[in-house]
Amino acid sequence: MQLIDRALCSVAIPGAALALLATTAPAQAQAQAQARQAPLLTPETVMLTIDMAPGEPPLVVTLAELMQAFRVPGMSVAVVQDNRIAFSAGFGVTETGGTTAVTPATLFQAASISKPVTAMGALWLVERGRLSLDVDVNTQLKRWKLPESPLAATRKVTLRRLMTHNAGLNVHGFAGYAQGTAVPGIEQILDGKPPANSPAVRVIAEPGSKCLYSGGGVTIEGLMIREAADQSFEDFMAARVLRPAGMTSSSFAQALPPELAARAASGTGPDGAVTPGKWHVYPELAPDGLWTTAEDLARLGIEVSLSREGKANHVLSQAMTREMLTPHCPDDPGNPGGIGLGFGVGYGGHPGQFRHSGANEGFQGLMFMDADKGWGIALLGNSDSFSSIYDRIVQVVGDAQGWRYPARPPSAGDLLLVVAARRGVDAALAQYDRTRNGKDDPSVLNLLGYRLLRQNQIADAVRVFARNTVLYPQDANAWDSLGEGNARAGSREAAIRDYRRSLALDPTNANAKRQLEKLER
């Protein structure tokens, strides 16, 4: 895979033409201004070029084609330059099968990008002495208390540790609740009591000993905010963070006001179908409940970037903003950055960079900002597969702008899905044979098979899984996956055969045992 070179060409000017420069300069300035205003991204923008077989033309993939391949009906993007929004646009539609176009005003669920926004609310209270970063949270909580644990006998769960995901708590994330179903209160969520669909939030490791990403911990943070503020979480966050940061199209309310609800996109599953009820409800609020636009997330990035330099500070002081962007819990031993108070910070050795991604049922997004350079980008999409393409978008925009962005390369499985979408499964399997270079990695075709399965391309998925078992006949997981594909295809006997083969190769395969029990009844 290689990215298209989008560098501008230079033109030499003959000596005889130099006399004309004085008269043509205004026209050239106007042309240059128009060039600067040209869209950074269009549906026809080339996202990647995939080299195919020798003598065969490369596969050139545009943004629109990438969205189609990954079943992304709509997305919105906002680009920041010099701490100002320089470009924003919407692409696609707000709902699969619909005709309403996504615009910069379209709302999406921000999912875990809610966490740094919540952190700003908590830090606003810390600056006013109504919360403390470094005392036992149970001394600040009022009605509900985190159950005592011998793991926290000496080192306590604190607000700072909740924000940096090293409080030793469980519950990585939340599934949300379908529209029309019973929704739990905050204490039911924290204790894992019905109708909560998540386990109780509890200490499972010594606080401060390791990084354990915990949406459960941020839910406790949200409870601390509402009790310290003595008002609803939604109202407090609107008054103290969202509106001061200029995020006028954003809300933590799960029952959106009519004006915002009319602009909300519907979630989309990996098969391209609309999420039942259009979207899930997230009563935890603090870790995952924000509705917003790409432009509003860009404004948040600008607010934090400028506040770090003492030039905005509508929410937090310069000192507190710098504290927020200081890495505390290292998320990668090879990365000098880590997790700050809400954001991931210091990526690739660039201390001014901060980011957060998010994924709710049917929605995914990314916010990235470089405070040292004043540039950034926010992207939101109404698809469970949007994360497979948003790094490509940032890379292409970043290359055009000269950014230093630590983009992940597309996975081999993702590239094969693009080939399958554009040229068929036979072409994807042939591409795999050409590019694996003798490496034995059954996970690549396994990923492709599951992506096809989730898109309800069941026959194609079975072909991919079957090819994997031919190439890797001793891989238990390859046979397990083929069993799942055949079961989805209604081929009961074949599925039983496949699961038995998987179990013979790996007698500890609990999934194969469960599936065989169902199939052999």
Side-chain angles (χ1 to χ4, degrees):
M1 187 280 291
Q2 64 184 45
L3 295 173
I4 291 295
D5 184 357
R6 306 183 69 235
L8 295 177
C9 297
S10 59
V11 179
I13 302 175
L18 291 177
L20 298 175
L21 284 177
T23 58
T24 59
Q28 288 180 341
Q30 182 179 4
Q32 290 171 353
Q34 290 173 345
R36 285 194 296 269
Q37 294 168 6
L40 292 175
L41 205 63
T42 73
E44 292 74 36
T45 300
V46 172
M47 290 289 105
L48 51 87
T49 298
I50 303 174
D51 292 327
M52 303 297 287
E56 188 177 336
L59 177 59
V60 179
V61 186
T62 66
L63 174 59
E65 290 166 341
L66 208 58
M67 291 173 67
Q68 182 181 35
F70 286 95
R71 304 290 197 270
V72 179
M75 55 160 280
S76 183
V77 58
V79 176
V80 174
Q81 285 281 52
D82 299 322
N83 286 310
R84 294 182 177 85
I85 296 177
F87 170 80
S88 67
F91 301 91
V93 293
T94 60
E95 182 174 298
T96 297
T99 57
T100 302
V102 171
T103 73
T106 300
L107 275 76
F108 298 79
Q109 287 186 350
S112 287
I113 307 175
S114 306
K115 291 178 175 69
V117 185
T118 292
M120 293 177 71
L123 294 174
W124 186 93
L125 291 164
V126 169
E127 289 208 272
R128 286 152 184 81
R130 292 155 74 176
L131 284 176
S132 175
L133 280 171
D134 298 308
V135 303
D136 184 347
V137 295
N138 277 343
T139 67
Q140 301 182 81
L141 289 164
K142 298 175 182 177
R143 292 187 309 167
W144 182 89
K145 303 286 184 179
L146 180 65
E148 295 295 333
S149 167
L151 293 168
T154 56
R155 303 174 76 180
K156 300 298 182 180
V157 174
T158 65
L159 179 58
R160 186 189 300 274
R161 287 173 174 158
L162 294 179
M163 290 179 174
T164 56
H165 298 287
N166 72 339
L169 298 181
N170 62 341
V171 187
H172 182 276
F174 298 93
Y177 298 83
Q179 298 279 356
T181 61
V183 175
I186 192 71
E187 293 179 20
Q188 290 174 309
I189 294 169
L190 292 172
D191 286 329
K193 294 181 177 179
N197 60 10
S198 54
V201 179
R202 297 293 186 263
V203 177
I204 61 170
E206 183 184 23
S209 65
K210 62 174 67 176
C211 299
L212 290 173
Y213 189 89
S214 175
V218 179
T219 305
I220 296 175
E221 180 186 340
L223 178 59
M224 295 172 70
I225 288 173
R226 73 184 69 188
E227 289 185 341
D230 195 25
Q231 68 181 125
S232 75
F233 179 84
E234 303 94 306
D235 289 347
F236 170 80
M237 292 299 296
R240 300 304 182 186
V241 180
L242 302 180
R243 287 201 292 270
M247 301 173 69
T248 57
S249 291
S250 301
S251 176
F252 276 93
Q254 295 304 285
L256 285 171
E259 190 273 330
L260 296 183
R263 295 194 268 134
S266 299
T268 312
D271 60 352
V274 178
T275 301
K278 295 184 180 292
W279 53 73
H280 280 188
V281 173
Y282 290 85
E284 305 85 18
L285 299 181
D288 50 20
L290 179 65
W291 281 93
T292 189
T293 66
E295 283 192 353
D296 270 10
L297 284 184
R299 292 185 183 99
L300 175 75
I302 293 167
E303 171 67 25
V304 174
S305 176
L306 291 177
S307 293
R308 176 177 177 260
E309 305 307 317
K311 297 178 181 178
N313 309 110
H314 300 104
V315 181
L316 301 176
S317 68
Q318 181 181 19
M320 185 58 80
T321 304
R322 288 180 175 268
E323 178 74 4
M324 183 184 192
L325 299 181
T326 299
H328 290 71
C329 188
D331 61 350
D332 180 351
N335 187 340
I339 304 172
L341 301 181
F343 285 109
V345 295
Y347 287 83
H350 303 291
Q353 292 187 353
F354 58 93
R355 67 174 284 167
H356 213 291
S357 59
N360 277 359
E361 186 78 14
F363 295 91
Q364 293 183 341
L366 171 71
M367 195 216 84
F368 191 99
M369 189 76 192
D370 189 324
D372 289 332
K373 304 296 184 181
W375 62 256
I377 190 167
L379 305 105
L380 293 167
N382 57 339
S383 169
D384 281 332
S385 302
F386 185 50
S387 61
S388 292
I389 71 173
Y390 62 51
D391 259 330
R392 292 304 92 222
I393 298 169
V394 181
Q395 186 72 68
V396 168
V397 172
D399 284 352
Q401 301 296 98
W403 297 348
R404 298 180 67 185
Y405 172 71
R408 299 170 302 172
S411 71
D414 282 348
L415 288 174
L416 289 179
L417 180 67
V418 173
V419 174
R422 304 307 305 163
R423 295 191 179 175
V425 170
D426 285 338
L429 291 173
Q431 181 75 355
Y432 175 72
D433 289 339
R434 282 191 297 270
T435 57
R436 66 189 180 112
N437 297 322
K439 295 179 181 178
D440 290 332
D441 186 0
S443 68
V444 175
L445 285 185
N446 203 58
L447 173 60
L448 173 61
Y450 272 108
R451 285 210 176 274
L452 293 169
L453 199 64
R454 293 186 185 111
Q455 293 184 356
N456 282 329
Q457 296 175 253
I458 298 172
D460 285 340
V462 169
R463 289 180 58 206
V464 171
F465 289 140
R467 180 63 175 277
N468 220 20
T469 63
V470 171
L471 292 171
Y472 309 104
Q474 300 304 309
D475 187 83
N477 188 58
W479 287 100
D480 185 277
S481 299
L482 180 57
E484 184 172 347
N486 276 320
R488 283 281 301 275
S491 302
R492 177 176 172 274
E493 294 302 320
I496 290 173
R497 175 205 65 204
D498 300 331
Y499 280 124
R500 285 178 177 170
R501 182 65 181 274
S502 177
L503 201 56
L505 291 166
D506 179 11
T508 66
N509 186 344
N511 180 66
K513 293 177 183 178
R514 285 194 303 269
Q515 300 307 321
L516 281 171
E517 287 175 1
K518 295 176 184 177
L519 290 166
E520 293 177 334
R521 284 174 186 167

